[in-house]
Amino acid sequence: MSLVLQENLSLKPYNTFGVDVKARLFAEAHDDVQVREALALAADRSLPLLVIGGGSNLLLTRDVEALVLRMASRGIRLLADDGEKVVLEAEAGEPWHPLVLWTLEQGLGGLENLSLIPGTVGAAPMQNIGAYGVELKDVFAGLTALDRQTGELREFGLEDCQFAYRDSLFKREAGRWLILRVRFNLSRAAQLHLDYGPVRQRLRDEGIETPTPKDVSRAVCAIRSEKLPDPMELGNAGSFFKNPLVSGEQAERLKAAHPDLVAYPQGDGLVKLAAGWLIERAGWKGFRDGDAGVHRLQALVLVNYGAATGSQLHALAQRIRADIVAKFGVELEMEPNLI
Ligand code: EPU
């Protein structure tokens, strides 16, 4: 067996919240063979297998009685190139943002709005990562996953993945599919997505009239760095809650009571509300209880000032949720996976 096992290893370096819990067993998979070894080993020892990528969408509330497998497979390759359109494939363990930068260096557009998102390639389809008007599904060409129930490889096209806002088949059938590599549709003549106001504004402020994908990436990085804390400096998992969908009537009622409510009609009668606005308006922005807190610049982000436990962060999240129900009648849903 080529898998290197570690026992009772602290997962602090492997989750961006920086929560200090232990994994009963830990290993890194560098290729498909090691993934299969890990599956066999977990079955052999009657341990669950918890697969992680960058650990940027995880809230660990206690020691993990499982084999924690970190996907560490690397490799980026062009599968097709007609001079303009390109299909690129990346292994699950490739870190996301360096991949985005690499594609931009090759003159390939498509991923620029998704710059600086933490995490790995394999985790990106799980929650259909999205930012600044683009979601993974918009550039998705396909993926290869291992069916943990049968051990067979399966190819997924766009329709098969059931992508939705921060959601996918892989998230809904948690524990069944292990994503091995993902393919993207990129282009040398990329259509830019500048519908998100702050990105357009930033480019205008810099006097850039005909932006390139690299310019868009730089603008997105600048906006993200201003608002979102760097996990290397302050533990966090990005947006902790999803922006909630409410009925048109409920949005109208809230708007009447709060004229500055931030709301985006979805075209299907439903309205998406900015959870960050609700949480800030409820008074939580900058709140701190021990080492668990709400970021002072972005109320959607919970932060670990150092020694917060997963349970303390979860308890804070529950307090916020209850308060948002009490004040606005709106249910907030957590974004990170709770372990
Ligand atoms: N707002 C507030 N107070 C806050 C935060 C936001 O009033 O503390 C208001 C803003 O003023 C703005 C609105 O809420 O009018 C939306 O804020 P922003 O544009 O910053 O986006 P968001 O809704 O907070 C979402 C995603 C982010 C993504 C950005 C940009 C979710 C849950 N979050 O945040 O994704 O980067 O849009 O597209 O959909 C992530 O998922 O981890 C993430 C960071």
Side-chain angles (χ1 to χ4, degrees), residues 130-132 165-166 196 224 227-228 237-239 241-243 262 264 274 276-277 280 285 297-300 335:
Y132 309 105
Y165 168 59
R166 296 292 189 278
Y196 189 87
R224 284 189 78 98
K227 281 202 197 164
L228 296 166
S239 297
F241 298 103
K242 293 189 194 178
N243 285 330
V262 180
Y264 315 96
W277 185 94
E280 175 172 355
K285 198 172 187 168
L297 300 176
Q298 166 54 287
L300 205 45
E335 211 188 89

Side-chain angles (χ1 to χ4, degrees), residues 166-178:
R166 296 292 189 278
D167 198 23
S168 73
L169 171 81
F170 313 106
K171 193 166 172 182
R172 265 170 264 147
E173 294 187 353
R176 172 151 187 204
W177 302 105
L178 202 158

Side-chain angles (χ1 to χ4, degrees), residues 14 26-32 34-36 38 49-55 68-74 91-95 119-123 144 146 178-181:
Y14 300 106
F26 177 90
E28 291 185 332
H30 297 273
D31 55 35
D32 293 11
Q34 290 188 326
V35 167
R36 288 185 186 277
L49 180 74
L50 174 66
V51 179
I52 63 171
V68 175
L69 183 70
R70 193 179 85 91
M71 292 301 287
S73 50
R74 304 297 291 264
E91 295 294 320
E94 284 288 340
T120 55
V121 163
T144 306
L146 184 73
L178 202 158
I179 296 174
L180 296 173
R181 43 200 153 266

Side-chain angles (χ1 to χ4, degrees), residues 251-273:
E252 283 304 317
R253 272 199 308 278
L254 285 169
K255 192 98 193 167
H258 312 277
D260 56 337
L261 178 83
V262 180
Y264 315 96
Q266 299 297 292
D268 54 2
L270 295 176
V271 178
K272 195 185 265 183
L273 303 180

